[in-house]
Amino acid sequence: MTDLRIRAAGPGDLDAVLAFWKVSAEGTSISDDRDGVERLVDRDPEALILAECGDALVGTVIAGFDGWRCHLYRLAVHPDQRRQGIGTALLGAAEDRFVRLGGRRGDAMVLQRNERAQHAWRAAGYAPEEQWRRWVKPLTD
């Protein structure tokens, strides 16, 4: 895909990102709202990475770094644009960001039921660590 552009999201992109996730992302998160994504971009302006083809948003990934660990969330590619290297380009941008920040290992949140995503993550060189289980507690109602 020669006209693919990778860039960090800005405040003007947030509504489009939320609409994109409704079509392209698997599952939902408590943070999938304007306030949640706005806080992310305000706190870390380079964390939400977009892929665009022309004027169309075709992919996203959140590359969060807390100073110690590198976390990947919301890798999503529009269903009509999959298997064209967009996810690979987004992960490359995220991994480059992590290396620049001093990160040494990336981890990804991948739904167990999402076999397509598991295949994509494996193809990108990631592997599950079966000895870990995610524990969560909602902090708001």
Side-chain angles (χ1 to χ4, degrees):
M1 184 163 276
T2 58
D3 58 344
L4 186 68
R5 184 169 63 121
I6 305 291
R7 68 173 179 87
D13 297 309
L14 305 187
D15 291 330
V17 167
L18 289 165
F20 176 79
W21 286 343
K22 287 180 181 177
V23 173
S24 304
E26 182 77 23
T28 58
S29 168
I30 194 170
S31 304
D32 286 357
D33 59 22
R34 175 74 189 208
D35 289 339
V37 180
E38 195 168 61
R39 274 191 302 279
L40 169 69
V41 172
D42 285 347
R43 183 184 174 284
D44 188 350
E46 296 180 359
L48 177 53
I49 302 170
L50 308 181
E52 297 173 318
C53 186
D55 291 333
L57 177 59
V58 295
T60 67
V61 69
I62 297 173
F65 182 64
D66 60 14
W68 184 43
R69 299 240 170 121
C70 306
H71 304 287
L72 294 157
Y73 308 92
R74 280 294 183 227
L75 176 62
V77 174
H78 192 280
D80 295 340
Q81 302 290 324
R82 292 182 179 152
R83 302 200 48 80
Q84 297 183 37
I86 296 167
T88 299
L90 285 164
L91 284 177
E95 292 166 358
D96 289 347
R97 176 176 196 260
F98 291 151
V99 170
R100 279 194 321 273
L101 294 172
R104 295 183 279 177
R105 178 181 68 185
D107 66 58
M109 299 290 297
V110 183
L111 290 170
Q112 285 184 325
R113 71 174 187 263
N114 191 340
E115 292 182 27
R116 179 183 300 132
Q118 290 178 35
H119 176 74
W121 284 102
R122 276 191 179 88
Y126 291 77
E129 290 189 326
E130 299 300 334
Q131 72 272 26
W132 297 102
R133 174 145 330 257
R134 181 177 182 216
W135 292 51
V136 299
K137 175 184 174 184
L139 301 176
T140 59
D141 293 332

